[in-house]
Amino acid sequence: ADVVEAVESGLFSLYAVNTIEDALELLTGIPAGERGLWTASIQTTAALGLLLSLVIISVTRLLSGEEAFAAWGWRIPFLIGSLILPFVFHIRRSLAETEAFLARKHHPSLREIVASMLRNWALVGAGMMLVVMTTVSFYLITVYTPTFGKSVLHLSATSALTVTFCV
């Protein structure tokens, strides 16, 4: 009954598909032969961002020296990273909302959103655990690895960052 009401009110749509490829194209909006490229680009850009940050940190550390970097030079990579903010805001403001979003007749209130999350607590919990797993893995590699390299293995900061890049 809830599904029928949702379809009638425009909150939910049903589509007939013949193949898995049709279903995935409907879900993602990407044709079957192009999904790998689009999916890979997400992971690639994250890795390139990490690589760029390691290069900026290494160059700053090399040019300023270890003592100066520890005293004030660590702020330079943050300043360089903040230069991307206007670009990010420009991209977000220039993105058009989808027709499906604009055509929605009902925009759920905060109470409805919270009630939906409570009804689907197991799915929300599983999603949260996946995010925690990804975040812990990321910080284990990007924070713990160089710290372990410097404090336990007695590597230089540059060597520890190089190991982080290789991991």
Side-chain angles (χ1 to χ4, degrees):
D2 290 339
V3 173
V4 173
E5 290 173 14
V7 171
E8 289 173 351
S9 64
L11 293 175
F12 187 78
S13 300
L14 297 174
Y15 299 95
V17 295
N18 295 322
T19 65
I20 296 287
E21 286 79 16
D22 292 343
L24 288 173
E25 184 171 344
L26 183 65
L27 179 67
T28 63
I30 301 168
E34 299 177 22
R35 273 193 299 278
L37 175 65
W38 284 96
T39 305
S41 68
I42 295 168
Q43 293 300 321
T44 303
T45 54
L48 290 175
L50 178 60
L51 172 62
L52 180 61
S53 68
L54 290 172
V55 167
I56 291 171
I57 291 168
S58 297
V59 168
T60 305
R61 178 175 267 132
L62 184 68
L63 294 176
S64 65
E66 290 294 325
E67 287 184 29
F69 185 83
W72 57 267
W74 60 269
R75 293 177 178 95
I76 294 172
F78 284 104
L79 176 65
I80 293 170
S82 70
L83 296 176
I84 197 173
L85 287 175
F87 180 67
V88 170
F89 285 125
H90 170 72
I91 289 174
R92 178 59 191 109
R93 291 186 53 81
S94 65
L95 288 175
E97 295 294 349
T98 62
E99 291 178 26
F101 180 81
L102 294 174
R104 288 182 68 171
K105 295 177 178 99
H106 175 72
H107 296 281
S109 67
L110 179 60
R111 182 178 299 241
E112 291 171 311
I113 293 169
V114 170
S116 175
M117 289 175 65
L118 291 174
R119 273 193 315 273
N120 299 295
W121 66 270
L123 186 60
V124 171
M128 290 172 64
M129 286 189 280
L130 286 171
V131 170
V132 166
M133 181 182 68
T134 304
T135 304
V136 167
S137 299
F138 174 79
Y139 282 106
L140 195 69
I141 292 168
T142 61
V143 176
Y144 179 74
T145 300
T147 303
F148 180 82
K150 287 189 292 189
S151 61
V152 176
L153 302 177
H154 306 292
L155 298 174
S156 69
T158 304
S159 297
L161 285 175
T162 303
V163 170
T164 301
F165 171 68
C166 293
V167 170

